[in-house]
Amino acid sequence: MSRSATVVAIRPHRKACGACADCEVRRTAVCAALEDDEVVALERIMGSVRLEANAMLVEEGAPRRRVFSLTSGMLRLLTALPDGRRQITGFLLPGDYLGLLDEATHTLTAEAVVPSVLCGFPVPQMQDLMERYPRLRDRLHQMTKAALRQAWDNQLVLGRLAPVEKVSSFLLVLSARQASGRPVSDTVPLAMTRADIADYLGLTVETVSRSFTKLRQQGLIRLPDAHRVEIVDRGALAAVAGMEPQSSGSSTPSTKR
Amino acid sequence: MSRSATVVAIRPHRKACGACADCEVRRTAVCAALEDDEVVALERIMGSVRLEANAMLVEEGAPRRRVFSLTSGMLRLLTALPDGRRQITGFLLPGDYLGLLDEATHTLTAEAVVPSVLCGFPVPQMQDLMERYPRLRDRLHQMTKAALRQAWDNQLVLGRLAPVEKVSSFLLVLSARQASGRPVSDTVPLAMTRADIADYLGLTVETVSRSFTKLRQQGLIRLPDAHRVEIVDRGALAAVAGMEPQSSGSSTPSTKR
DNA sequence: CGTGTCTTTGAGGCAACTCAACACTCGTGG
DNA sequence: CCACGAGTGTTGAGTTGCCTCAAAGACACG
């Protein structure tokens, strides 16, 4: 079993590897709410966290002592049932925030999909900063709303889309999110495993794999390797994802009305 | 077709039927953030909205001119696919807020499940008030976080629970929400139809009906009539809902690991 | 070059969906 | 007052498609 390589080095973030000023996500993460001269306040309470692949950052139910901002890598957020079933609620990309819900304990487990780096902030001090800089609080509110939007979209995907549709939707959304600003590339890197995709979409690994194969056979995507997807026909993929009527070919996804 | 009886009477809320002061949801809705003497500001920009059953309040994509607070009745929030499939994202109970996401257009369709009454607030004036009363904005932030929590829970339900588990979970959550403060009653009124429940849980009406029957036959619930459920064995119901290990009887929900 | 993990593909079973029929409630109007 | 029809809920029979189980290929790592 490779899963599980628990906590991690938490270094008090000295000016070691370049400050916030030249951070990759300076303009997209929480800190985007602050001016350059204000960010130092954030920097002062900040700790740096490095995670190896599959390392667990926080576990569901654990006390919520710190909140995090992902600077590089990818995290999966998940809940697990007693019998082992998993539901991945979402993937965190660079710039995303961990700890939107200010409850006493974490409501989701967070694990690294690939080696990742985060900024960690002690909760009490973060609250102080939020009072001092209202824009910081506003930014978190805004990120909460974005997360809610995503969660609502996911409910549609989970509840009403057929497997092939789910995978199509997943690819399009991931493609758009990873582009994030830059023009969308047609090559989408899939950092996560099929098992993660399955647990995100409410399917099994086999069904995910078969769905990829179907999309490839229909010429909508190419699969140079298991962790890279080339989107060949974006329009058709969107149509399959159930985002457009487009009664084109004879493709018969499944459950309709 | 009874569905669709579009918009509604919007009266400029005179002091007709008692002011906010003696409102049912005065202490649970958005307005709970304001003192009695501050609420008048809210009252001044407020309009009253009455909906008959199945009337549509706002449609997905329509410009978001007003936001609402539900005072009585029940609303369903949903998205529909071009081919007619529906996913109900959630149900609004008295005290709940409609318009948490401040986007230009509504992201969800809102329809009345039963005759309902709401307070409506023009968006620009509401924003003014939020600047004047920060606690109002804080309250909305808090309600957004609660909604996010719910949406995350729903993802687990939709993605990983078997039909009977879904229905059990639904009953328990609804029971808790409708109690809202008061001690939870074991009799849960179901205002919505089986079709609504199905579209909420990602099932068909038949499967929902059969799930109710199973739970009844196992003695976990009683069904005095189609729209009232008596919870007989809360613990067992929670166990079925996948919230506890409890390897009791021979019940075999389905998809496990 | 083994070993373990991940991915893909195949075969088969079972559960949820589809289709269909019937029971029930509740207005409406004869 | 009762017949009627529409809407809703339940139950049954059959089918489809996803999951389960199994095995082999692909790939990374030691």
Side-chain angles (χ1 to χ4, degrees):
Chain A
M1 180 179 265
S2 75
R3 189 62 48 81
S4 91
T6 338
V7 204
V8 218
I10 299 166
R11 305 179 301 184
H13 189 82
R14 296 283 170 251
K15 66 192 80 175
C17 47
C20 292
D22 27 67
C23 172
E24 276 290 330
V25 297
R26 174 71 180 86
R27 294 294 154 198
T28 57
V30 229
C31 43
L34 300 180
E35 301 299 333
D36 287 334
D37 59 325
E38 297 169 331
V39 163
V40 293
L42 206 57
E43 225 166 338
R44 207 166 299 145
I45 66 166
M46 179 172 104
S48 189
V49 180
R50 249 160 226 290
L51 297 174
E52 54 186 84
N54 295 318
M56 178 186 295
L57 177 61
V58 296
E59 184 164 18
E60 191 179 352
R64 180 171 157 287
R65 292 194 223 287
R66 292 186 303 157
V67 293
F68 302 90
S69 180
L70 182 63
T71 58
S72 78
M74 183 186 285
L75 262 55
R76 55 173 169 259
L77 304 180
L78 59 93
T79 57
L81 291 173
D83 61 14
R85 285 177 284 179
R86 299 194 317 161
Q87 176 65 40
I88 291 182
T89 298
F91 295 99
L92 256 45
L93 299 185
D96 286 342
Y97 190 84
L98 178 61
L100 287 171
L101 302 192
D102 52 2
E103 298 177 5
T105 62
H106 286 283
T107 57
L108 295 170
T109 297
E111 298 170 349
V113 174
V114 293
S116 303
V117 183
L118 304 95
C119 304
F121 312 97
V123 168
Q125 298 170 49
M126 191 63 175
Q127 276 170 339
D128 291 345
L129 283 189
M130 278 168 46
E131 283 182 25
R132 181 133 57 104
Y133 303 110
R135 283 199 312 280
L136 195 61
R137 194 189 25 63
D138 291 345
R139 176 97 183 102
L140 279 172
H141 189 178
Q142 186 187 329
M143 292 176 91
T144 308
K145 286 183 274 192
L148 179 57
R149 176 73 147 103
Q150 263 187 44
W152 280 348
D153 288 345
N154 282 348
Q155 283 187 64
L156 172 65
V157 171
L158 286 167
R160 284 307 179 203
L161 295 196
V164 196
E165 299 174 318
K166 287 182 178 182
V167 171
S168 302
S169 160
F170 171 72
L171 289 176
L172 289 171
V173 171
L174 189 64
S175 162
R177 279 186 69 201
Q178 287 187 343
S180 172
R182 291 179 298 281
V184 287
S185 162
D186 280 341
T187 297
V188 185
L190 299 179
M192 68 290 288
T193 65
R194 296 291 187 270
D196 283 339
I197 299 175
D199 285 336
Y200 179 64
L201 297 175
L203 302 171
T204 60
V205 276
E206 295 92 332
T207 301
V208 170
S209 181
R210 281 185 244 269
S211 299
F212 273 118
T213 302
K214 271 184 205 164
L215 291 174
R216 180 171 51 72
Q217 288 171 343
Q218 294 177 3
L220 305 192
I221 63 170
R222 296 207 318 121
L223 287 166
D225 65 278
H227 290 281
R228 191 165 24 253
V229 174
E230 264 182 52
I231 297 178
V232 176
D233 189 341
R234 233 194 181 76
L237 205 59
V240 171
M243 332 224 72
E244 296 174 32
Q246 182 162 338
S247 58
S248 63
S250 53
S251 64
T252 309
S254 90
T255 316
K256 300 239 169 162
R257 288 226 164 177
Chain B
M1 178 176 269
S2 75
R3 189 64 48 81
S4 90
T6 338
V7 203
V8 220
I10 297 165
R11 305 179 301 185
H13 188 83
R14 295 284 169 250
K15 67 193 78 174
C17 45
C20 291
D22 28 67
C23 173
E24 277 289 330
V25 297
R26 174 71 180 87
R27 295 294 155 200
T28 56
V30 229
C31 43
L34 300 180
E35 302 298 333
D36 287 334
D37 58 328
E38 298 168 329
V39 162
V40 293
L42 207 56
E43 226 166 337
R44 207 166 300 144
I45 67 166
M46 180 171 102
S48 189
V49 180
R50 250 160 225 290
L51 297 174
E52 54 187 86
N54 295 317
M56 178 187 296
L57 177 62
V58 297
E59 183 165 19
E60 189 180 350
R64 180 171 157 284
R65 293 193 224 287
R66 293 186 304 157
V67 293
F68 304 89
S69 180
L70 182 64
T71 58
S72 79
M74 181 184 288
L75 262 54
R76 56 174 167 259
L77 304 179
L78 59 94
T79 56
L81 290 174
D83 60 14
R85 284 176 285 179
R86 298 193 319 161
Q87 175 64 41
I88 292 182
T89 298
F91 295 100
L92 255 46
L93 299 184
D96 286 341
Y97 190 84
L98 177 61
L100 287 172
L101 302 192
D102 52 1
E103 297 178 3
T105 62
H106 286 283
T107 57
L108 295 170
T109 297
E111 298 171 349
V113 174
V114 294
S116 304
V117 183
L118 304 95
C119 304
F121 311 97
V123 168
Q125 297 170 52
M126 191 64 175
Q127 276 169 340
D128 290 347
L129 283 189
M130 278 167 46
E131 283 182 25
R132 180 131 59 103
Y133 303 109
R135 284 199 310 280
L136 195 61
R137 194 187 25 65
D138 291 345
R139 176 98 184 103
L140 280 172
H141 189 177
Q142 187 188 329
M143 293 176 90
T144 308
K145 286 182 274 193
L148 179 58
R149 176 72 147 106
Q150 264 188 43
W152 280 348
D153 288 345
N154 282 347
Q155 284 187 63
L156 172 65
V157 172
L158 286 167
R160 285 305 180 207
L161 295 196
V164 196
E165 299 174 318
K166 287 182 179 183
V167 171
S168 302
S169 160
F170 172 72
L171 289 176
L172 290 171
V173 171
L174 189 65
S175 162
R177 280 186 69 200
Q178 287 186 344
S180 173
R182 292 179 298 279
V184 287
S185 163
D186 280 341
T187 298
V188 185
L190 299 179
M192 68 290 289
T193 64
R194 297 290 187 269
D196 282 340
I197 300 176
D199 285 336
Y200 179 64
L201 297 175
L203 301 170
T204 60
V205 277
E206 294 94 334
T207 301
V208 170
S209 181
R210 281 185 243 270
S211 298
F212 274 119
T213 302
K214 271 184 205 165
L215 291 174
R216 179 172 51 73
Q217 287 171 344
Q218 293 177 3
L220 305 193
I221 62 171
R222 297 207 316 121
L223 287 165
D225 65 277
H227 289 282
R228 192 165 24 254
V229 175
E230 264 182 51
I231 297 179
V232 176
D233 188 342
R234 231 192 183 77
L237 205 59
V240 171
M243 331 222 74
E244 296 173 32
Q246 183 163 340
S247 57
S248 65
S250 54
S251 63
T252 308
S254 88
T255 315
K256 301 239 169 165
R257 288 221 165 180

